[in-house]
Structure formats: structure tokens, C-alpha cells
Amino acid sequence: MNRLGLGVLAGVLAWLVTGCGGEGKTAVTVYAAASLSEAFEDLAAEYEAANPDVDVKLNFAGSARLAAQISAGARADVFASANRASMSRVVAEGRTASLPVLFARNRLALVVPVDNPGDVTELEDLSDDSLVLAMCAPEVPCGALAQAVLADSGVTANPDTEETSVRAVLTKVMLGEADAGLVYATDVAAGGNKVAAVPLGPQIRVNDYPVVAVSDRAVAADFVDFILGPDGQSILWSHGFDFP
């Protein structure tokens, strides 16, 4: 069985096991882009505090991979994507119970290890083939955004590794396995004192983040409403996301 098949099987089993939640609780299964990890962990905790009868189950991965799993039949209640393209796929295939709504935006960031061994000071430095550069694969939202920004800037950069999620890129930089990486602004904060950001200058390109209820369960719609409400938006803002 290939990786996608295993991912779908795992998603179905998880949904079957947790559909009723632990200790009589109602479970809501949320598929979310990897760049949303810390923010959605806080969202889930806040939602559970306000709804003690609900257990939020989070599944993080690259948006394209999550969309493929949902399209193949994985049982999610909510899908939060890091771009419109991945969301459009599940909508076009009739996998959603409502229309998607934008809930956040994110900007590209150039991140380096805190000691900056490659002496990267600007985007143009990424054209140096001696640097070890990590980027998301082109089909991943962060990868598509990075390619667009590089093209806008006239910079030719050849990544040494193309990852399936933005958090994999961040991890490469945090571990010192890459001299630089192109991630989201929110990932810089997630990297803590292990990474530093290199200013990109005026940045007008952003990725829009849409969310949708995949299942028609009331708890799915309610969790989406929470994300879009003032409490959810405040949490997202605190993690560096921009308002849509």
C-alpha cells in the first residue's frame, strides 16, 4: 500500500475510533496545514475549554497531502488549507458540506540557523549554489509562494531539498541541516531561539488560508464558526497570522 493509501486508512481508523470521543465526548476531527500547528493546538484547547463535551482531534500535514487524503475518502470533519488550490480540489470533488471561507493570511519568510553559518543577509544570496537551501516542493502552498517570490525578485535558486510540508523545511534549518529555508512568517516564531529571520523587504505576496466543514455534523460547523469568530481570530493573530 502506498503512503497516500496508508494515510487514508489511518485517517479512517482514527475517525472511527474517535467519532464519539473519549469518556462519552463528541470528537471533531480537524485536518489542518502544517503551518497551523501551534495556532490550532491553542484553538483546540480554547474550544475544548468552552465546550467540555467535545474532543478536538488534530491532523497536521501539507495541504496538498491532506486534500489528497480527503479526496480519497479520509473521514475529516474540518479542513483548513494553506492555499486556495488545495481547498478547490476537495470542493470540486464534492467532499465538503459548506463553502470555504478565508480565515487567515500568511507571508513568506527567509529563515536561517541562529548563527547564520551561510552568512545569508538577503534573498539574492540564495542564488549561491554553495548554500544548502531547503524549500517546500512546488505543489505545497509554501513552495508555490516561494517560487512566485523568487520569480518576482529575479532570483534563481536551486533548492537542495524540497519538503512536503513547511514544518519539514523549518526543521532542516533548526537542526543546522540547511543554511537557509523559505517558510512562513509564523514559522519564524515557531522556531524560537534556534532560528533567525532575514528581512525580505516589502512583501506583497501572501497565501490565503480557507477553512471548510467537510462533514455535515453540527460540531464541524461550530468549530469553523469558532475559527472565524473573535476568539479564534485573536489566537491566530497572536501566532503571527494576518487577518483575511
Side-chain angles (χ1 to χ4, degrees):
M1 184 178 293
N2 60 29
R3 290 184 178 180
L4 177 56
L6 288 172
V8 172
L9 178 60
V12 171
L13 290 175
W15 192 88
L16 290 172
V17 171
T18 62
C20 295
E23 299 180 357
K25 293 183 178 182
T26 298
V28 56
T29 303
V30 180
Y31 278 37
S35 54
L36 292 165
S37 296
E38 286 79 15
F40 266 50
E41 285 168 359
D42 285 354
L43 280 168
E46 188 74 13
Y47 186 83
E48 288 176 342
N51 300 272
D53 59 332
V54 176
D55 190 8
V56 180
K57 302 295 184 181
L58 298 171
N59 178 30
F60 298 114
S63 297
R65 175 173 291 184
L66 293 175
Q69 290 177 0
I70 293 171
S71 295
R75 303 294 295 271
D77 291 305
V78 175
F79 176 39
S81 173
N83 69 345
R84 294 173 183 262
S86 297
M87 180 62 71
S88 295
R89 174 177 178 175
V90 298
V91 171
E93 294 178 355
R95 297 288 183 176
T96 63
S98 63
L99 293 176
V101 181
L102 295 182
F103 70 95
R105 283 180 171 151
N106 214 346
R107 292 169 285 108
L108 194 72
L110 175 55
V111 68
V112 297
V114 68
D115 57 349
N116 196 6
D119 194 27
V120 178
T121 60
E122 58 184 357
L123 189 66
E124 287 72 15
D125 290 339
L126 300 187
S127 61
D128 183 354
D129 287 337
S130 68
L131 291 174
V132 178
L133 174 61
M135 289 174 52
C136 293
E139 65 271 16
V140 178
C142 185
L145 183 63
Q147 295 284 0
V149 169
L150 290 169
D152 286 349
S153 304
V155 176
T156 300
N158 299 309
D160 296 276
T161 180
E162 293 185 334
E163 304 296 331
T164 58
S165 77
V166 69
R167 285 309 168 88
V169 174
L170 179 65
T171 299
K172 290 279 187 183
V173 177
M174 290 175 64
L175 294 176
E177 297 177 1
D179 296 315
L182 287 167
V183 297
Y184 290 120
T186 52
D187 295 302
V188 177
N193 60 7
K194 294 184 178 180
V195 298
V198 175
L200 287 178
Q203 171 63 254
I204 60 172
R205 281 190 178 267
V206 298
N207 265 4
D208 291 327
Y209 282 57
V211 64
V212 73
V214 178
S215 76
D216 59 3
R217 302 172 66 214
V219 68
D222 192 60
F223 190 79
V224 170
D225 288 343
F226 175 72
I227 294 171
L228 299 172
D231 291 339
Q233 290 291 296
S234 177
I235 290 172
L236 289 161
W237 178 261
S238 73
H239 283 274
F241 288 93
D242 295 327
F243 293 129

